[in-house]
Amino acid sequence: MANRYWVVSLPVQKSASTLWNSLQDQISKHSFDTPLYRFNIPNLRVGTLDSLLALSDDLFKSNTFIEGVSQKIRRQIEELERVSGLESNALTVDGVPIDSYLTRFVWDEAKYPTMSPLREIVDGIHTLVAKIEDDLKVRVAEYNNVRSQLNAINRKQSGSLAVRDLSNMVKPEDIITSEHLVTLLAVVPKYSQKDWLSSYETLTTYVVPRSSKKLYEDNEYALYTVTLFGRVADNFRTSARERGFQIRDFEYSPEAQESRKQELEKLVQDQDSLRSSLLQWCYTSYGEVFSSWMHFCAVRIFAESILRYGLPPSFLACVLSPSTRGEKKVRSILEGLCDSTNR
């Protein structure tokens, strides 16, 4: 909903139709580009003045809460559509675009019986929206958990050699493992490769001469193998670290590789599935929250109009969408149509 709307009420002195005609006439003369609609509020149960005053104290806070939840869901929809590469869909209430739902608002008697106390209606709306907010938190947390796991794996596969997964860079023939010999993997800064090649054979005893081979190189590091006797591996690690070389722990395992591949594929599928289901849930839930919000606005207009204009209820509720430059003029028109004693 790109447009900004005002939902207002005006006190009726003669008849609602007379006031409506006068408002239409004033708007068409002085602010013709301002859309104007009736906002049809049914005859709700008034209750006592004390109950209206008590309710009025809570209406502002509840409105802020409901509006906040609708904005959370809308932002989530925008993010999911962006990540999915989808064009933004028009948000709806049961298939009706939300602009149309607002400007052609019809009270849902089945969901909110007009004979129910106003407090009961407001509390019911608040409870429904709070439950949707809780569901949103759970669903988003589940989606973000899978996304975080996937991001962590992707970082390991795309980060520098100091942290990334090495399994795709090492072939079986690169690794020698026997009763006495082991092959270690050394991460060497690019600028230190000459130092590595001239010194690795002397970092400890029992290093196989000319056994170091470069397997991979990125923007920061190069990955080398080195073969030596297993009993001096710890000494070699210590000496290498002192010279600025990192020895990565690595065990070649085709089974582990396949397991990681399957884990990655499952996480990708889970992420796509959760994202799709979350997006559909958000579309539906946004409609529910928006519908609840409009019913809440109707109750708020009804209650505050009685407190402002008195009993019996006699007011005209309407929806306007003034442009930014036309707001001052529209406000002046509305004030002019109000009884001076009720301003």
Side-chain angles (χ1 to χ4, degrees), residues 29-47:
K29 284 182 179 178
H30 304 292
S31 186
F32 64 89
D33 60 343
T34 298
L36 173 66
Y37 311 91
R38 290 286 288 266
F39 190 70
N40 296 307
I41 301 176
N43 293 320
L44 300 174
R45 185 173 170 181
V46 176

Side-chain angles (χ1 to χ4, degrees), residues 12 24 49 63 85 95 113 115 136 140 167 205 217 220 238 242 251 260 301 306 333:
V12 173
Q24 286 183 307
L49 184 60
N63 184 76
M115 289 308 295
L136 175 66
V140 169
S167 57
T205 56
E217 184 176 317
E220 299 178 77
T238 301
E242 292 173 352
E251 181 179 350
R260 283 192 290 269
I301 286 285
I306 292 174
I333 292 171

Side-chain angles (χ1 to χ4, degrees), residues 30-213:
H30 304 292
S31 186
F32 64 89
D33 60 343
T34 298
L36 173 66
Y37 311 91
R38 290 286 288 266
F39 190 70
N40 296 307
I41 301 176
N43 293 320
L44 300 174
R45 185 173 170 181
V46 176
T48 65
L49 184 60
D50 286 344
S51 67
L52 282 178
L53 287 169
L55 181 65
S56 179
D57 291 339
D58 297 333
L59 287 175
F60 179 78
K61 289 186 292 185
S62 292
N63 184 76
T64 301
F65 168 70
I66 297 168
E67 183 178 6
V69 174
S70 74
Q71 290 173 347
K72 283 182 187 177
I73 298 175
R74 191 182 69 246
R75 285 194 298 268
Q76 189 65 57
I77 288 172
E78 291 170 353
E79 179 191 340
L80 292 170
E81 287 179 336
R82 178 182 58 78
V83 172
S84 303
L86 300 174
E87 291 186 7
S88 296
N89 284 330
L91 299 175
T92 66
V93 178
D94 293 330
V96 178
I98 55 176
D99 292 87
S100 299
Y101 184 86
L102 168 58
T103 56
R104 302 171 188 170
F105 175 74
V106 177
W107 184 272
D108 188 343
E109 175 69 23
K111 196 170 185 179
Y112 304 106
T114 52
M115 289 308 295
S116 299
L118 296 182
R119 168 66 70 179
E120 184 178 310
I121 294 174
V122 169
D123 287 349
I125 291 172
H126 195 284
T127 300
L128 172 65
V129 174
K131 183 181 183 303
I132 289 175
E133 183 188 37
D134 289 341
D135 288 347
L136 175 66
K137 290 177 181 177
V138 171
R139 290 171 181 269
V140 169
E142 185 181 13
Y143 168 67
N144 285 339
N145 179 50
V146 172
R147 190 170 64 167
S148 296
Q149 292 181 56
L150 194 55
N151 287 341
I153 291 176
N154 287 333
R155 279 196 299 273
K156 286 183 178 180
Q157 292 184 336
S158 60
S160 74
L161 288 171
V163 296
R164 70 183 296 178
D165 180 20
L166 304 178
S167 57
N168 292 330
M169 304 175 194
V170 182
K171 300 180 178 62
E173 57 268 25
D174 297 325
I175 302 296
I176 296 175
T177 303
S178 68
E179 183 179 353
H180 300 291
L181 294 175
V182 295
T183 297
L184 301 180
L185 298 178
V187 176
V188 179
K190 286 184 71 171
Y191 61 81
S192 300
Q193 292 184 73
K194 288 184 178 179
D195 184 25
W196 164 262
L197 292 172
S198 64
S199 65
Y200 78 89
E201 294 180 7
T202 60
L203 291 178
T204 188
T205 56
Y206 302 111
V207 177
V208 176
R210 301 180 184 177
S211 63
S212 187
K213 180 176 70 171

